[in-house]
Amino acid sequence: MTFFKQLIVTVALAMSAFAAHADTFVNKDIGVPGDFNNTWTFSGSTDTAHAAGKYFEDYFIFNVPDTQYISVTLTSLLRGTSDGVSFLGGGFLIYTYSDGDMMAAVDATQSHTVTGGAWLLGSGTYGLYVAGSYALNGGNYGGQILGTPVMAVPEPSSILMLLAGMALVAGVAQRRRRS
């Protein structure tokens, strides 16, 4: 009987550990015509009280539509003339959402901003974990994920078709010159 009690307690503790944080989905920003960069803009979580000195851990989810170089910038939002959060002792990491494999991690070296990037991520769903501490009551931060698509490399058949088309145009021009 004690085995079943231990099993129930273990399962309950494990489930509460998984429910300890809420993931926030970040939609891709609406772009402008001709701009092929992707951006995701977000701000810190509002599900907890932002008390000075309190440590925070926020989780965000974002979808990468195709293979891109990703960079992340986090900035403390000012309250008056003071920074609202400090990233020292924290930072961020990017992980695959499906299996939790870490893709990139950046430890903060400045209190008010953290930047890192140029990681190549394939198409898929990723998580962003952000950690730091509130410097002021009600402090918060903003962030942006910037994705730059990888330039496409043409397939050999496309290059052959281009060369065949150019040869055809050159042949027609040569024939017209002769006549």
Side-chain angles (χ1 to χ4, degrees):
M1 190 68 174
T2 59
F3 171 75
F4 289 111
K5 286 181 183 178
Q6 284 182 323
L7 181 63
I8 291 171
V9 169
T10 303
V11 169
L13 287 174
M15 291 182 71
S16 68
F18 288 118
H21 72 272
D23 296 336
T24 304
F25 181 75
V26 181
N27 288 315
K28 189 172 80 154
D29 296 346
I30 298 174
V32 296
D35 181 12
F36 297 103
N37 291 332
N38 294 309
T39 56
W40 297 264
T41 305
F42 58 93
S43 60
S45 174
T46 58
D47 63 348
T48 60
H50 297 193
K54 183 177 178 189
Y55 189 77
F56 67 84
E57 295 178 332
D58 291 337
Y59 297 84
F60 301 95
I61 305 167
F62 63 100
N63 287 327
V64 176
D66 49 9
T67 301
Q68 298 183 31
Y69 288 102
I70 298 292
S71 63
V72 177
T73 302
L74 303 172
T75 305
S76 175
L77 300 178
L78 295 176
R79 286 190 51 95
T81 58
S82 301
D83 288 325
V85 300
S86 171
F87 293 109
L88 290 177
F92 68 86
L93 63 88
I94 297 174
Y95 58 95
T96 55
Y97 192 70
S98 60
D99 57 13
D101 286 345
M102 186 175 68
M103 306 298 290
V106 174
D107 291 327
T109 57
Q110 298 179 2
S111 64
H112 63 283
T113 186
V114 183
T115 302
W119 299 291
L120 186 62
L121 300 182
S123 177
T125 303
Y126 295 89
L128 174 68
Y129 166 79
V130 179
S133 61
Y134 297 111
L136 300 170
N137 288 333
N140 208 349
Y141 65 92
Q144 185 176 53
I145 303 167
L146 175 65
T148 306
V150 176
M151 299 304 287
V153 176
E155 293 186 21
S157 61
S158 299
I159 294 172
L160 288 174
M161 289 295 288
L162 175 68
L163 292 174
M166 289 172 62
L168 182 64
V169 169
V172 169
Q174 185 73 12
R175 183 176 244 185
R176 284 191 181 176
R177 251 190 269 164
R178 285 189 197 163
S179 48

